[in-house]
């Protein structure tokens, strides 16, 4: 199982950037990255396929996530999800990041 490259940046879609900013500013979410992980969980729970084309908005480097257990859980879930949805198994950190983001 690959691990995310610590130099890569987590990202959300450009159209969700303002929502993430507002939720963070209003104190609903501790950080904009939390919306990313909530969205990933929502996609898994509702059996949604990853989006293909959208404008990306970089959030933070992977290395800035202090909770390594989040990254491990997201990575393991991404592999499981790809396998169950007959999606290509990630062969690089960037492919893994695309599946999570």
């Amino acid at each position: 199982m690959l691990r995310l490259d610590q130099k890569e940046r987590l990202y959300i879609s450009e159209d969700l950037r303002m929502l993430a900013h507002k939720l963070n500013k209003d104190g609903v979410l501790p950080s904009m990255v939390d919306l990313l992980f909530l969205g990933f969980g929502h996609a898994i729970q509702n059996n949604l396929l990853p989006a293909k084309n959208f404008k990306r908005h970089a959030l933070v480097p992977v290395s800035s996530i202090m909770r390594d257990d989040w990254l491990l859980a997201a990575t393991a879930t991404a592999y499981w999800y790809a396998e169950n949805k007959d999606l290509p198994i990630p062969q690089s950190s960037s492919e893994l990041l695309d599946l999570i983001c």
Side-chain angles (χ1 to χ4, degrees):
M1 181 170 76
L2 291 170
R3 300 283 290 206
L4 289 169
D5 183 339
Q6 297 292 306
K7 296 177 211 152
E8 295 217 52
R9 296 183 70 84
L10 295 164
Y11 61 86
I12 60 174
S13 64
E14 186 64 32
D15 59 337
L16 285 178
R17 180 178 65 92
M18 293 308 293
L19 173 62
H21 178 71
K22 180 173 177 16
L23 292 174
N24 176 245
K25 182 179 157 198
D26 292 348
V28 175
L29 295 173
S31 74
M32 291 173 57
V33 174
D34 292 322
L35 185 62
L36 167 69
F37 286 111
L38 285 171
F40 181 55
H42 176 78
I44 299 294
Q45 185 176 21
N46 291 287
N47 210 24
L48 302 174
L49 290 172
K52 297 265 186 220
N53 297 316
F54 58 89
K55 285 188 172 187
R56 297 177 180 190
H57 177 75
L59 290 174
V60 296
V62 170
S63 63
S64 71
I65 302 297
M66 303 305 284
R67 303 271 321 254
D68 194 43
D69 55 334
W70 284 14
L71 294 175
L72 180 58
T75 300
T77 302
Y79 274 95
W80 169 85
Y81 190 63
E83 202 170 276
N84 283 337
K85 294 300 289 175
D86 291 325
L87 297 169
I89 301 299
Q91 299 298 313
S92 67
S93 178
S94 62
E95 288 178 9
L96 180 58
L97 194 64
D98 287 344
L99 200 57
I100 293 170
C101 294

